[in-house]
Amino acid sequence: MDSLITAAARALAAGDPLGALKRVALRDDAPALALRGIAMAQLGDFARAKALLRRAARAFGRHEAMARARCAVAEAEIALVSRDLGEPTKALDTARATLEAHGDRANAAYARYLQARRLLLIGHLDDAERILAEFDPATLPPASRASCELVVAGIAIRRLRTAVARTALVRAEQAARLAGIPALMAEVQSAFRALELPAARLIVHGDERLLQLDEVEVLLASTAFVVDACRYVVRDARSMISLERRPVLFALARTLAEAWPGDVPRATLIACAFRTRHADESHRARLRVELGRLRALFRTVADIRATKHGFTLAPHHASEVVVLARPVDDAHAAVLALLADGEAWSSSALALALGTSQRSVQRALDALAAARKVDSFGRGRARRWMTPPVPGFPTSLLLPAPFPGD
């Protein structure tokens, strides 16, 4: 490897893409193409970066498997940063295996980190943890170690383990300072700030107040009966009931919880659950059916009692009933939460991360665009959506995610 290639590689490792391009911008040999591709990725020109990396992989030839594997890892990172989460992961798996076979442990570990980060973005926390457990972050260079600790912190945040998240972020900050890359240090500081943002609203007896993530953790560990409108579950100190796929039952549970210890008139329950202003006998009959289903689900945690005017919630073990809601009431709050990270997302990536259909996400994006809350650029499959951070709205701290043991 000649001196210009070595100098360009060192500039990229230090987070100086312009310095790297000064040395290799006019060269078309395989190593220079690869370094130019990585530099363009650091500058945000992902389309050009992909094209350069693919040219480099072809130029390296069949007998330079390790170099082509490194190009594949770089391309996978570009796909991750540009939120192409639906990209096949087989190429990254093959590249990682090749790097391990050739003794390039640092880049092989980085490929595992990319897999873990993708799994974190789409909410597969158990799989992400399993991948991170397969290698020791201490063996990575400082920049890669900082990135890995950010994933550890992200998993802990989604698990509502704020102490673990803060510890991981401290380690990430230390590694970022050792790396000396300003963009990486800014990313760590942004993660720290996310912990201080309001993560949810607490609704009790009609009063509301904002909670930070550590306060949410304390609430969920308490003895209160919690109707969680962030993850669509109902829980007390002994059990948890998921209503994620039962929107009518969850609407009834939330309405009853917000009125506790009072009762809710039947007309109000019908309006909230069935979204109709004019109730007839069929709606009242359906209400009885749905409340019967809710009673069956709640039989171990609470009773739903009929009163003169409607129905009331009566928990078996808890002395208080609270509702935990998103900090911002919006019909498409989950989509906004993902877009609030400032990255450009495709509709397919949003659908994958939210576990819903792409058509549903597209309808949500169209509604948000009409309200001027999001913007897009590009056309067809290259179309991307983004928005400035919404004031008071954290990125994705409380998006629905699998719980331990689920």
Side-chain angles (χ1 to χ4, degrees), residues 211-293:
L211 299 182
Q212 293 181 346
L213 195 67
D214 52 356
E215 294 176 304
V216 174
E217 183 180 11
V218 171
L219 173 66
L220 297 184
S222 71
T223 59
F225 184 93
V226 182
V227 177
D228 187 344
C230 300
R231 302 192 182 207
Y232 306 105
V233 298
V234 175
R235 66 170 82 208
D236 63 6
R238 305 185 182 190
S239 58
M240 181 181 69
I241 301 167
S242 174
L243 297 175
E244 184 178 0
R245 300 185 183 278
R246 310 290 291 272
V248 171
L249 297 188
F250 184 82
L252 291 171
R254 177 173 177 172
T255 305
L256 290 167
E258 288 184 356
W260 184 87
D263 59 359
V264 183
R266 290 168 175 79
T268 302
L269 288 172
I270 289 172
C272 291
F274 308 140
R275 299 181 182 180
T276 181
R277 295 182 180 179
H278 306 289
D280 56 24
E281 190 57 38
S282 66
H283 290 108
R284 287 186 281 272
R286 186 183 174 193
L287 177 65
R288 290 192 293 271
V289 171
E290 298 296 349
L291 285 174
R293 291 171 176 165

Side-chain angles (χ1 to χ4, degrees), residues 138-158:
T139 62
L140 297 176
S144 299
R145 189 161 69 248
S147 299
C148 184
E149 294 294 355
L150 284 171
V151 176
V152 173
I155 294 172
I157 286 172
R158 296 287 290 276

Side-chain angles (χ1 to χ4, degrees), residues 330-352:
D330 193 287
H332 310 295
V335 175
L336 276 176
L338 287 175
L339 291 175
D341 66 358
E343 300 290 347
W345 288 72
S346 65
S347 58
S348 60
L350 289 168
L352 186 61

